[in-house]
Amino acid sequence: MRHATHSPRRVGRREFGARTAASLAAVAAAARQVRGAGDRIGVGIIGCGGRGTAHMHVLRALKSRGEEVEIVALCDTYRPRLARAAQLTGAAFATMKHEELVAREDVDIVLVATPDHWHGIHTIDAMRAGKDVYCEKPLAHWRQLGLPERMVRVAEETKRLVQVGCQRMSSTAYAQARALIREGAIGTLLMASTGYYRIGDWGERGMPIDDPNAAPGADLDWERFQGDAPKHDFDASRYFRWRMYWDYSGGPGTDNYVHFYTPLAYMMDLGYPDRVVATGGKFRYEEREVPDTFNMIADYPDRITVLCHGTQGNDFQTLGSGEQPLIRGWDGTLSIEGAQVVVRPTSGSAKPALALPIAAGTDEQRFWRDFLVCCRARTQPESGIALNAAVATTLQMATLAMRESRCVRFDQAGKKVV
Ligand SMILES: NC(=O)c1ccc[n+]([C@@H]2O[C@H](COP(=O)([O-])OP(=O)(O)OC[C@H]3O[C@@H](n4cnc5c(N)ncnc54)[C@H](O)[C@@H]3O)[C@@H](O)[C@H]2O)c1
């Protein structure tokens, strides 16, 4: 450790556990008071591809552990995937039109696991139909400026809950770090850095073309897939490997950076940045449209700078895909290192060094279970809509900044990108 004069104070698992238990008890008590608290929660899934299927397995595992949850309806614009999902889940209702799914009485929560340019629209339509929503990240496509803020307004108007699929937020590490920061453990916040690396599995290798002869018609709704995106003739690569194309994806910025930027924004209470710059491009992979290398810097009103960087080169298996955030304050530095939240005071600071064991790591089942608890108790999830709207807008700004080689600003009073 750099500052040998400070001996680390270990805040025990028991101390954190007691606090967590108290808040969980409060939530559980609230849950018992709401109508239908013990009733089965019906989930409708829009998007039955890779991620949608992963959610099906998580929900089935929760159900087998006694959770009152059931997948009751499915939607996908490609019928073979719909049929496969129906077989896997046993859901009785399947449709290619999401309006029919969100209108169903037996659906309480809608899971949105479609390509990025549909997330905001599916989420709003579900909320307007009275459903809570688990929306996969990112909240909106990079060109859909203002949509994240519209989603926040609709959530407020309809009093619906939205959890955004940054499952890393299920780790207690970030709540523990946030509490330390709020207690002043590193003093006034100055800057933070994080990053994301993933070797070229963007679409070229990572997204299979189910059927190279697939064509629009009764089994594939190309018009609906395109939605509000610029129109093209059908192309199986665009349909199945949409992550490679600007029309449906934003590349690392809006896709991968969410995983670390969301916990960072949560720990530091970042809100919206004043301005963002970014660099990058296709430095390694030619087939895709979106960048493989992406670096951004955002300045926030409280004079905090955040740096996020990434390329596709990494050993995903052993090194992991990303860099845990490092947060620098005037009096110290906070980092997440293995199973600990670590605080190292600045030289000469009177603050103590800390090494806090992380009470619980990332757990997709717990992330879902916590959302079910929130839906019964009508409490906001940690990875909620307001936090994620600010993150989504920041990453939209970064994508615009890179594409247009300019500094993109946010009008804080008008709450819009300028
Ligand atoms: N949280 C995570 O770790 C994580 C991991 C992977 C993907 N994701 C997110 O999940 C989303 C889906 O990614 P994926 O890898 O599953 O993609 P995918 O292509 O495998 O699945 C998307 C599915 O949506 C269907 N679809 C497209 N437009 C539709 C529409 N208008 N209505 C209904 N269905 C439609 C497609 O036919 C396809 O089956 C992405 O936005 C991605 O960012 C999150």
Side-chain angles (χ1 to χ4, degrees), residues 46-52 75-78 81 113-116 118-119 122 136-138 165 167 207 224-225 239-240 242-243 255 259:
I46 311 179
C48 303
R51 189 63 184 153
C75 172
D76 200 286
T77 44
Y78 185 52
R81 286 189 178 172
T114 42
D116 301 4
W118 269 103
H119 291 183
H122 282 150
E136 263 307 340
K137 41 59 60 175
Q167 64 273 17
M207 297 185 88
R224 199 173 262 270
F225 168 88
Y239 188 87
F240 292 106
W242 55 267
R243 258 185 158 131
D255 192 326
H259 287 298

Side-chain angles (χ1 to χ4, degrees), residues 335-388:
S335 51
I336 315 271
E337 298 178 20
Q340 292 183 323
V341 179
V342 176
V343 170
R344 295 188 173 89
T346 310
S347 309
S349 161
K351 304 269 182 191
L354 302 171
L356 179 72
I358 294 169
T362 302
D363 180 334
E364 294 225 27
Q365 283 188 28
R366 196 178 52 245
F367 194 53
W368 250 111
R369 208 171 41 234
D370 286 351
F371 188 49
L372 297 177
V373 170
C374 288
C375 291
R376 292 186 194 281
R378 309 313 300 163
T379 52
Q380 285 293 335
E382 295 292 275
S383 185
I385 184 94
L387 167 70
N388 280 279

Side-chain angles (χ1 to χ4, degrees), residues 240-256:
F240 292 106
R241 306 191 305 175
W242 55 267
R243 258 185 158 131
M244 291 166 52
Y245 299 91
W246 282 119
D247 288 339
Y248 327 111
S249 172
T254 53
D255 192 326
N256 286 340

